[in-house]
Amino acid sequence: MAVAAGLLVLTPAAPASASAMVAGSSVCSGTLVDYQQMGTYHKVEVYWNSSTQKNCAVLLTSYGTKHSMTVSVQRCTETSPSDYCTPDSGSGAYAQDTGNYGEYAGPATVYAGNKCIRVFAYATIGSQSWGADSGSMRGGKQAAFC
């Protein structure tokens, strides 16, 4: 916050103390297969549970105050990594969690079996936004984590 020429100017600033990031493994079961840092305060993690054949994604934050966060998982029809994810229209093929959260968004979990998934994550604090998807995480492939 700054005062200039008698005008009050508000800018997004970090909270007084950023909090520790929750462990994604406490939100999603399985093995961590990939993650991507999104700026200073956010990280999206993707897990695979071989016993349930499910993928899980969680968007973690250490910002310390609630703000807009979204994480989603889409099952694709592809069975090997591809530049494009053709959405599977079957039951349970899509999961999303969106809201104002202070620790994490998710879990977003889908049964994948032998199919690829696409992961998407987005966070907004004030006028600043960060995003990630499987294409920026897994070798540039939208249909990934097969």
Side-chain angles (χ1 to χ4, degrees):
M1 183 165 23
V3 179
L7 298 174
L8 181 64
V9 179
L10 298 176
T11 58
S17 63
S19 61
M21 199 172 280
V22 170
S25 60
S26 68
V27 181
C28 289
S29 66
T31 303
L32 178 66
V33 294
D34 206 354
Y35 70 92
Q36 182 175 348
Q37 190 69 36
M38 296 168 40
T40 302
Y41 300 107
H42 300 90
K43 179 170 64 168
V44 60
E45 294 183 348
V46 181
Y47 290 81
W48 168 248
N49 187 321
S50 60
S51 64
T52 64
Q53 300 287 293
K54 292 182 178 182
N55 282 102
C56 178
V58 60
L59 176 56
L60 308 167
T61 185
S62 63
Y63 186 66
T65 60
K66 290 184 177 183
H67 57 283
S68 177
M69 296 171 56
T70 297
V71 65
S72 64
V73 178
Q74 170 70 59
R75 186 174 60 231
C76 309
T77 60
E78 288 78 12
T79 57
S80 61
S82 175
D83 292 337
Y84 183 76
C85 170
T86 306
D88 186 333
S89 61
S91 176
Y94 183 78
Q96 177 176 310
D97 187 28
T98 299
N100 288 313
Y101 300 114
E103 293 183 327
Y104 61 88
T109 303
V110 298
Y111 172 80
N114 65 344
K115 296 190 177 176
C116 302
I117 62 164
R118 181 178 184 195
V119 175
F120 175 79
Y122 194 79
T124 303
I125 301 172
S127 62
Q128 296 181 329
S129 297
W130 302 266
D133 69 12
S134 48
S136 59
M137 297 173 74
R138 199 36 87 100
K141 303 295 183 186
Q142 290 296 322
F145 310 107
C146 312

